[in-house]
Amino acid sequence: MNTLSMARKKKDLNPNQQLARAILEQYQPKSVEDMQDALKDIFGPMFEAMLQGEMNSHLGYSSNERGEKETLNRRNGYTKKTLKTTVGDVPVEVPRDREGTFEPTIVPKRKRDVSAIEDKVLAMYAKGMSQRDIADTIEDIYGFDISHETISEITDSVLEQLEEWQNRPLKKFYTFLFVDCLYVTIRKDYETKNYAVYVILGYDVDGQKDILGLWLSESESKHQWMQIFDEIKNRGVEDVLFLSMDGVSGLEEGAKAIFPNVAVQRCIVHLIRNAIKYVPNKDYKRFTAQLKKVYGAASLKAAESEFERFKQAWSQYPGAVDVWVRNWQHVAQLFRYGSAVRKILYTTNAVESVNASFRKVTKKGAFPNENALLKLLYLRVTELYKKWNGRPLNNWALVRNQLDMDENLQERIRKYENGGF
């Protein structure tokens, strides 16, 4: 390649490429360590230049400007500081002012760690990014390599937090529990298997959400659910008002064996799904519209009247009707409570929404082991907690008022709401 071609090629480089070329020409790194040393040399002056810019803005003039100024505040030397960065420790000199009012933002006072790389890795991992994607992103943003082993070490740091969270004491009382499973593929013994992830979402007496735990099993069964209910009881749960489920055989009996006073509610949405298996596509819309008049009625008497009309109207599909006949007690018990309580209780959508969040980060493929799955799900849980931010459900005051209308429920609530946690 001739000199003219080399010059043209160099001219075509974008500013980032020109900067990279200048660093390479200046330092001629032979390894990742050499590159990190080069970046350390650059980071120091870069931070100092940014700090000088902040000081100029704070004082209203640059160090080169002279003349009368409205302020008597002046520069007052420097403070030496060592910063922890992604490429190691970097010494910098932070400018001071006479009045001590300068508050730098690029390197805040008393802050020495500006890397935050671990937090960024965990945040990317929580969003379902693979180790390869994380490594590529770190290299694109920060310009240095991070090995898969390093990423694994960083994400493994949450396993201790996961274990502590999974075994933490729970509140003594929950108004609502929602239970559901999702299935995830794990590689084990040189083959892939689908594992059931058991999830319990709870609402406490103040209407705040909490995920009580995550449990893995090779299948969903009433025996596993019983063990889980027994575990949360041992972790402190004494009483539960309502449990909403999708209809796993034996789950209701298992729940009541551990929490005798719990009211178990079959998910109405799941009943609809089970029923429409027996209905031709052309009739779905009319069928579900008439069903809504049943479970959405204003009172039990109105629901019973609508149910009779429903059975007569759809008698040509006995399988669909029989789903509702067999589960009518679960529909009827909804009308013991006010409409705000019914709106929460009649579906497991709340926990299915949690599982939908989990599926966003587990759908890419099989996990190498159980820990890889659990640490990802736990990081997703922490993201959900941030989103919920300790706020109660909308209209929770109305729900509480309707719960208090039942004397038995009111007595159980009062037992725990005043410091009984």
Side-chain angles (χ1 to χ4, degrees), residues 40-52:
K40 284 169 65 175
D41 285 350
I42 295 167
F43 277 6
M46 183 176 68
F47 279 122
E48 289 176 352
M50 295 173 75
L51 287 165
Q52 288 289 0

Side-chain angles (χ1 to χ4, degrees), residues 26-224:
Q26 175 70 27
Y27 290 91
Q28 299 183 357
K30 304 297 183 183
S31 65
V32 172
E33 289 75 16
D34 291 344
M35 177 60 76
Q36 289 178 332
D37 288 340
L39 290 174
K40 284 169 65 175
D41 285 350
I42 295 167
F43 277 6
M46 183 176 68
F47 279 122
E48 289 176 352
M50 295 173 75
L51 287 165
Q52 288 289 0
E54 286 193 72
M55 178 62 84
N56 293 343
S57 176
H58 177 67
L59 295 177
Y61 64 93
S62 71
S63 58
N64 296 325
E65 291 179 333
R66 296 290 185 269
E68 295 183 2
K69 300 297 176 183
E70 295 181 1
T71 177
L72 296 177
N73 200 8
R74 292 288 186 272
R75 287 171 171 77
N76 188 32
Y78 298 88
T79 299
K80 292 184 177 181
K81 190 172 187 177
T82 300
L83 301 178
K84 179 181 178 182
T85 75
T86 53
V87 294
D89 292 343
V90 174
V92 296
E93 292 187 339
V94 181
R96 297 187 307 236
D97 62 333
R98 289 181 180 178
E99 295 179 358
T101 55
F102 178 49
E103 295 284 347
T105 57
I106 183 65
V107 183
K109 290 182 178 179
R110 294 173 295 279
K111 182 172 183 179
R112 297 184 180 277
D113 187 348
V114 295
S115 64
I117 192 66
E118 289 83 1
D119 291 341
K120 291 179 174 60
V121 168
L122 292 175
M124 287 186 279
Y125 195 78
K127 290 176 171 57
M129 292 178 66
S130 67
Q131 290 186 353
R132 182 184 298 277
D133 290 340
I134 293 172
D136 290 344
T137 301
I138 293 295
E139 184 174 9
D140 289 343
I141 295 175
Y142 299 102
F144 68 92
D145 292 331
I146 182 171
S147 69
H148 292 187
E149 290 77 13
T150 300
I151 295 172
S152 183
E153 288 176 5
I154 292 173
T155 56
D156 280 349
S157 67
V158 305
L159 288 175
E160 185 175 343
Q161 300 172 34
L162 166 63
E163 184 177 2
E164 182 179 345
W165 174 80
Q166 188 77 342
N167 295 296
R168 75 196 189 282
L170 297 171
K171 294 179 178 179
K172 294 181 180 180
F173 177 74
Y174 289 89
T175 51
F176 298 88
L177 292 184
F178 304 88
V179 301
D180 195 23
C181 275
L182 72 152
Y183 285 85
V184 180
T185 305
I186 297 177
R187 290 191 295 272
K188 193 170 185 178
D189 298 330
Y190 305 102
E191 62 178 345
T192 59
K193 293 183 179 180
N194 280 335
Y195 274 69
V197 181
Y198 294 73
V199 184
I200 299 182
L201 172 69
Y203 296 168
D204 68 12
V205 74
D206 296 315
Q208 294 182 352
K209 295 180 181 180
D210 187 19
I211 297 173
L212 276 61
L214 303 168
W215 298 266
L216 289 183
S217 177
E218 291 192 13
S219 63
E220 183 180 9
S221 69
K222 66 176 182 180
H223 301 293
Q224 182 65 25

